Amino acid sequence: MKDFLHTFRACVFDFDLTLADGSDWIVRSFQTVLHRNGYTDVTDEACRRTIGMTLENAFMLLTGRQAVDDDVRRYRAEYTATCRPQMAAHTRFFPEALDLLDTLHEAGIRLAVVSTKESAVIRQSLRMYNIESRFTTVIGGSDVSVHKPDPSGLYLAMRQMRVDANETLYFGDNIIDAQTARNAGVPYLGVTTGMHTRAELEAYPHIAVVDSLGELL
């Protein structure tokens, strides 16, 4: 394990495209809702680039709406009904992420997840891989009133782990994660397994940017 990881008491991870990949099912669920409501020209790439946003913000962007209105709330409800029942079954952890989690856990470093995804769905995926017990806490979208890049979720995770910002490292695959870490005063480690490039992630304060979490082992 890279030496600098030993300087932290806690490691907090974004979920989608940082620890695990369920993007194909997420995109398919977006497209199901969009097509049902007459939006047939939105690309899969555009859907994929919304991963990490709240569902309201994602549907606003994809449909060109300027505010969260009744339609956006309906799209969100339709998406949840379509996606959530099978989300865990369509999610695969990156093997190198599992290896890193094993190593960090064995080193006594506290682990947490902070994501806009619902914590119940994240926990279901963790249970499928028998690793839920390794995490001190999982903070999802319904656990905070304001979402990333607001640091509320990261603050809550640190309080529950009883660690300070300078003792915590936040891992994420997109600029929303980088902004969240910056806003919380927490060091950030970027991984290019999502939709943002190395250059986009390196534009924000960071400890390192890697192409795979396996590079840290």
Side-chain angles (χ1 to χ4, degrees), residues 5-25:
L5 291 175
H6 291 284
T7 66
F8 296 99
R9 293 178 59 206
C11 287
V12 184
F13 295 84
D14 173 54
F15 189 74
D16 284 317
L17 298 178
T18 298
L19 287 179
D21 186 1
S23 59
D24 287 347
W25 179 245

Side-chain angles (χ1 to χ4, degrees), residues 12-62:
V12 184
F13 295 84
D14 173 54
F15 189 74
D16 284 317
L17 298 178
T18 298
L19 287 179
D21 186 1
S23 59
D24 287 347
W25 179 245
I26 291 170
V27 169
R28 195 187 316 173
S29 299
F30 270 118
Q31 291 289 24
T32 296
V33 175
L34 291 167
H35 280 241
R36 185 186 298 152
N37 289 280
Y39 296 95
T40 59
D41 59 350
V42 180
T43 67
D44 286 358
E45 180 79 1
C47 294
R48 204 175 300 273
R49 286 189 70 85
T50 68
I51 294 174
M53 296 181 180
T54 64
L55 289 173
E56 290 86 352
N57 286 343
F59 278 113
M60 284 171 58
L61 179 64
L62 294 172

Side-chain angles (χ1 to χ4, degrees), residues 100-111:
L100 179 62
L101 292 173
D102 284 343
T103 302
L104 293 171
H105 179 68
E106 291 169 3
I109 296 173
R110 297 171 191 176
L111 304 177

